[in-house]
Structure formats: C-alpha cells, structure tokens
Amino acid sequence: MSYIQNIIENLKISYPIQNEFHQAVTEVLISIEPILKQYPIYQEHKVIERIIEPEREIYFRVSWVDDKGCIQVNKGYRVEFSSVLGPYKGGLRFHPSVNESIMKFLGFEQIFKNSLTGLMLGGAKGGSNFDPKGKSDNEIMRFCQSYMSELFRHIGAKTDVPAGDIGVGAKEIGYLFGMYKKLVNRYDGVLTGKSTRWGGSMARKEATGYGIVYFAKNLLEDNGLFLEGKRCIVSGSGNVAIYTMEKLLLLGAKVIACSDSKGIIHDEHGIDLELIKKIKDENRGSLEEYQVSKPNSKYIAAESYPENRNLIWSIPCDIAFPCATQNELNINDAKELIKNGVKAVIEGANMPSTPDAIKELQAHNVLFAPSKAANAGGVATSGFEMAQNASMQKWDFDEVEDKLSVIMKNIYTTSLENAKIFDNSSNLVIGANIAGFKKVADAMIEQGVV
Ligand code: NDP
Ligand code: 2IT
C-alpha cells in the first residue's frame, strides 16, 4: 500500500462515518502524490499527517426559545483547521444536514482555497443543524445570539473570522455581529459579509458568483471558446447561483434553468433573474412561484426525479454550473451532460461533483473547473473586507470588482501552470490542489512543529 493510501485508510478507521471528509481528503492527497515523490521533505516533516487533523474543533450546544415559547436545541460547530497562512477564515452553514463530516470537509477544502487566493487567510468552517427556513426573524435572531454567546470566545479579527455559507446571509451576519459586539464591547471586523451600511465590503454579496464566471471566462477563452450566446444551467438559487446567473447574463450568456431543494425551473426563453431574486432573495420562497408569472416555463418537482438523478443535468446545455451543494452532480448526471454535448462544468458550490463524475467529464475532454479554484472569489473578497476594516477604509464597487477579477485570473493561471509542471497536463483539479497545498506545506515547515 502506498504512503498516501495508508494515510487515507487510517483516516477512515479513525473517523469511520465522515464520508464527505474522506472524499475531500482523498481528492487532495491523490492530486499531490507527484510532488510528494519529488519533495521527500514533506513526508519527513509529516506535513500530510498534520494537515489532515484540524488544529482545533469546537462543538457546543445552542439552545434558544421559539415564538411559541418552546425550548429548541441545536448543535453548534466551528472547525479551525489551519492558521498557517493567516487567521482562521471560512463561512458558517445553517442547514439541517450539517454534521461533523460536512464541517470538516468544508474546513479542509477552505485551507487550499484560501491559499490559492494569495491572501493571508487560514482555513476554517462552522455552522449548525439549525434550519432558518420557515423561522421568523425573531427566531433567527435569538438562534444567532445563542450561537454567538459561545462562539465569541473563540473568534476575533486576528484569530478567526467567520462569514456566510448556505443559510447564512447578510441578515444572519448582522444578528451574529450585534451579539459579538455586545459581548466583547469592541467594534471589530470579526465577521465578513456584513451589510455595506456598517462595515461590509462592496461587491462581497456578488463576489462568489461573479468570480465563478470570471474563472469560467478565463478557462473558456484559453480554449478558444466564449460565453456569449452559450446555454447555461445553474443549479441552486441562493447567493452563489443568483450572482453567477447575473454575471452570465451581463456577459451575454443565456441561462435556461436553475433550481432549489424542491425542484427545477426550466425556461427556454431565458431565466428572468429579477423574478428569481424576488422569490428567493427577498423571502426564501419556492421556485414553483416562478411558473405562476411565467406560464411558458416548466417546473419539475424534485419528488419526480428518478433515483440517483438530478434532472437539472438532463437539460441540454453548453456549460453547467453546479451552485447548490456537495455531491449534487453524480456519474449518471455527468454521462447525461456529455451525451447532450456539454463543453464545460464550472463548480460553484463546494465539492458539488462526485469523484467518478469528475473522472467521466475529464475523460470526455469536458473543461472542468474545481470548486476550490472557481469559487474562491467569495473568500478573496472577504479578505478585502478584512483589509478595509483594518485600515478604516471603504473601497468602491468597481475597485473591489477589479481586484476580484485579477485574483480569479491569477488562480486560473497558477492552477494551470502547476498542472503543466507537475502533471504535464491541463488538469485543473491537480493543478489547484498542488498550488494550494505547496504554499501551506512550505509555510508549515518554516513555522516548525507546532
Ligand atoms: P444559499 O443558502 O444562499 O443557497 C443555497 C441554494 O442551494 C438554495 O437554492 C438551496 O435550495 C440549494 N440547496 C442547499 N442545500 C441543498 C440540498 N441539500 N439539496 C438541494 N438543494 C440544496 O447558499 P450559497 O449560495 O451561499 O451556497 C451554495 C454553495 O456555494 C454551497 O456549497 C456553499 O458552500 C458554496 N459557497 C458559498 C460561498 C458564499 O460566499 N456564500 C462561497 C463559496 C462557496 P433551498 O432554497 O430550497 O434551500
Ligand atoms: O466556501 C466559502 O468559501 C465561503 N462560504 C466563503 C467564506 C468566507 O470567509 O467568505
């Protein structure tokens, strides 16, 4: 058994039910195998054995009182994975599916994604199995206050800086910030994704989606293709999906479908983004409402999907952007996309494609952009928010967007260069993993055994 396989097997024995975490670690370790052979120093310094264990993992009870006066109890997490390149940094996810495995896979991915941005950012993730859907603003506020009443002692502008993710947007960040400020009696840039009225960066809300499209543009143009007129499908209809669609439309592409956890909207006339924003952004509604205003569109309920299929990927398209959640695009979906002539798959969500789906797409020469490279624009702009807060400055929208587009181009170029140097290929999964890993690993060696 190889050194890497041995580490993966031991990880599975140590944490037997953390499938998402195994998946994320396996992908990274297999990708970096060529450089482990070339640089034995990483093995000598036990970099791999160290990097796969979080520096610190915090688990806590979150109890709060709902509008009916009943006590509710949720699980709270923060996984502080790596502080080698900077303060722990990464989002908070509030979704009923949250568990330790999901927190650890997201925290682990965040280390390498943040490294790729070139900014001083460590890697972390946190969240809760709390479901904000169907809750009143007062309930969300009381939950956030209870969550922060424990988290505050572990975070800080130079220690650990959380942000949003699934189920956590500007509203939740506001309530979390208010409680943090009250508890520590200090106005710190301790969270990013804040309202632009009181410390948030311009373009942070748009940054992940816009960055994904910038990444796609770089990749396509390098391969003689253009976004104009391309049929695009974007899964999800949350923050990342909405601003991916917005930038695609601004750059002349056509978006024909999007989705949520309950179903798909397929609109051959082109998705009306303002209507989607109204339904999803303003009140977390259901996409079914879209069809009421647009009777020519088609709604496909998730209940009708065959087993092991997500029907959004069976709609013929040129470019697919999975922007909802992990493992939402599997091998069957990949085969269907290939059959219908897909040219590129750009990952917007974290780890949305299963490993066999990625293999299948790459084997059929579909251009493939891995999430840790393509969606790094969100956390990069969080880095800009930290810089603005620390220097008491406010940059305007265009300044932030220009910086974002430069970072996305750099991430693309660096990932491609590393794929060429170490794998003699243009495989961006390998290139992004090697580029992200090398920077962290070299810094770990320089910082000693701590
Ligand atoms: P939001 O909560 O704003 O939106 C999530 C969207 O995905 C919703 O449309 C939701 O549907 C759908 N969804 C969530 N979970 C599931 C599920 N289990 N099955 C099917 N659909 C689901 O989250 P974001 O847009 O912020 O995040 C989307 C993805 O992007 C995540 O993987 C996140 O980690 C990643 N990401 C987010 C960044 C950010 O800055 N926000 C940065 C980089 C990556 P419904 O409305 O029905 O719940
Ligand atoms: O997955 C991610 O990169 C995010 N949810 C954003 C993290 C951040 O700190 O902005």
Side-chain angles (χ1 to χ4, degrees):
M1 201 187 284
S2 77
Y3 169 60
I4 288 297
Q5 278 168 338
N6 197 32
I7 289 183
I8 294 169
E9 287 315 308
N10 283 335
L11 188 80
K12 289 182 180 166
I13 293 166
S14 303
Y15 305 110
I17 49 165
Q18 298 184 356
N19 294 336
E20 293 85 358
F21 181 48
H22 304 159
Q23 185 182 332
V25 171
T26 303
E27 184 205 281
V28 171
L29 296 197
I30 288 174
S31 293
I32 62 173
E33 217 158 5
I35 66 162
L36 295 182
K37 293 203 175 101
Q38 200 167 329
Y39 301 100
I41 190 170
Y42 295 137
Q43 197 168 335
E44 283 157 31
H45 285 257
K46 293 233 161 75
V47 168
I48 307 295
E49 289 85 340
R50 287 195 278 152
I51 214 168
I52 60 173
E53 291 293 344
E55 288 177 14
R56 188 179 298 112
E57 212 177 310
I58 302 146
Y59 172 71
F60 49 98
R61 182 184 69 207
V62 189
S63 34
W64 55 284
V65 179
D66 69 19
D67 286 347
K68 294 195 190 94
C70 294
I71 296 168
Q72 299 287 338
V73 185
N74 287 102
K75 303 175 199 303
Y77 302 86
R78 184 72 179 165
V79 181
E80 297 181 333
F81 230 113
S82 169
S83 61
V84 175
L85 296 182
Y88 303 110
K89 182 81 195 90
L92 299 175
R93 178 176 291 191
F94 293 169
H95 192 271
S97 64
V98 161
N99 58 34
E100 196 182 342
S101 173
I102 288 177
M103 293 287 96
K104 283 174 72 180
F105 115 66
L106 289 163
F108 185 73
E109 288 287 283
Q110 201 81 41
I111 307 173
F112 309 104
K113 180 196 309 197
N114 294 3
S115 163
L116 283 170
T117 66
L119 303 173
M120 290 175 60
L121 302 169
K125 202 78 185 191
S128 172
N129 64 344
F130 171 74
D131 187 358
K133 243 182 264 167
K135 304 286 190 301
S136 70
D137 280 359
N138 275 331
E139 288 178 321
I140 292 173
M141 181 179 74
R142 286 196 295 274
F143 170 80
C144 287
Q145 290 174 340
S146 176
Y147 181 86
M148 188 52 86
S149 71
E150 173 58 35
L151 189 70
F152 85 99
R153 66 187 95 249
H154 307 287
I155 63 175
K158 295 208 167 143
T159 313
D160 182 352
V161 184
D165 194 80
I166 291 177
V168 178
K171 181 197 288 180
E172 291 74 20
I173 294 290
Y175 295 146
L176 291 162
F177 182 85
M179 191 63 179
Y180 178 83
K181 180 167 63 64
K182 184 179 169 74
L183 290 168
V184 300
N185 195 28
R186 250 193 343 262
Y187 205 105
D188 280 342
V190 69
L191 292 150
T192 58
K194 301 184 287 292
S195 161
T196 52
R197 283 185 276 271
W198 45 267
S201 175
M202 299 304 286
R204 173 62 189 90
K205 184 176 67 172
E206 293 82 357
T208 311
Y210 280 23
I212 288 163
V213 180
Y214 281 128
F215 195 94
K217 189 171 183 290
N218 282 303
L219 173 60
L220 291 175
E221 288 179 1
D222 220 10
N223 288 278
L225 297 168
F226 297 92
L227 280 169
E228 288 83 6
K230 292 288 179 302
R231 287 168 60 87
C232 299
I233 289 182
V234 179
S235 66
S237 49
N239 171 269
V240 175
I242 282 179
Y243 292 99
T244 297
M245 292 193 264
E246 184 165 286
K247 199 59 169 179
L248 283 171
L249 296 176
L250 286 168
L251 295 182
K254 187 171 180 190
V255 181
I256 48 165
C258 66
S259 62
D260 63 13
S261 56
K262 303 262 161 39
I264 299 162
I265 275 293
H266 178 184
D267 189 345
E268 276 295 325
H269 302 281
I271 289 286
D272 178 342
L273 188 59
E274 288 317 304
L275 184 54
I276 297 282
K277 279 188 183 174
K278 220 171 156 178
I279 297 168
K280 300 305 288 190
D281 229 11
E282 289 164 23
N283 46 23
R284 286 188 169 131
S286 158
L287 280 184
E288 223 170 341
E289 294 167 36
Y290 184 98
Q291 221 203 357
V292 178
S293 313
K294 299 266 174 188
N296 288 329
S297 66
K298 194 170 153 200
Y299 180 75
I300 308 162
E303 289 153 3
S304 70
Y305 302 171
E307 211 184 315
N308 256 324
R309 287 298 321 278
N310 181 341
L311 286 186
I312 196 165
W313 309 124
S314 64
I315 300 169
C317 68
D318 297 310
I319 315 177
F321 294 83
C323 291
T325 194
Q326 64 275 356
N327 293 328
E328 57 167 313
L329 195 164
N330 66 23
I331 179 120
N332 302 320
D333 304 317
K335 284 182 175 159
E336 192 75 8
L337 282 165
I338 293 162
K339 193 181 89 194
N340 289 328
V342 74
K343 296 176 180 67
V345 173
I346 315 291
E347 293 193 320
N350 285 308
M351 205 171 76
S353 320
T354 58
D356 51 358
I358 299 175
K359 252 195 192 153
E360 185 76 6
L361 292 164
Q362 290 177 329
H364 288 81
N365 296 320
V366 175
L367 299 173
F368 184 80
S371 55
K372 63 170 73 65
N375 75 22
V379 73
T381 306
S382 281
F384 300 154
E385 185 166 322
M386 290 161 73
Q388 291 169 78
N389 292 163
S391 59
M392 310 274 283
Q393 287 179 22
K394 190 164 172 91
W395 307 343
D396 66 28
F397 194 100
D398 291 347
E399 189 176 351
V400 179
E401 201 186 345
D402 285 350
K403 287 186 164 69
L404 169 66
S405 75
V406 170
I407 287 207
M408 296 317 295
K409 190 172 177 62
N410 287 343
I411 295 175
Y412 171 68
T413 315
T414 310
S415 302
L416 185 63
E417 269 170 18
N418 276 270
K420 283 188 177 150
I421 296 169
F422 296 106
D423 189 53
N424 200 21
S425 76
S426 51
N427 184 329
L428 294 175
V429 175
I430 292 179
N433 281 327
I434 290 181
F437 169 79
K438 226 175 155 302
K439 210 168 143 211
V440 183
D442 292 340
M444 280 174 80
I445 293 170
E446 286 171 6
Q447 290 176 15
V449 181
V450 284

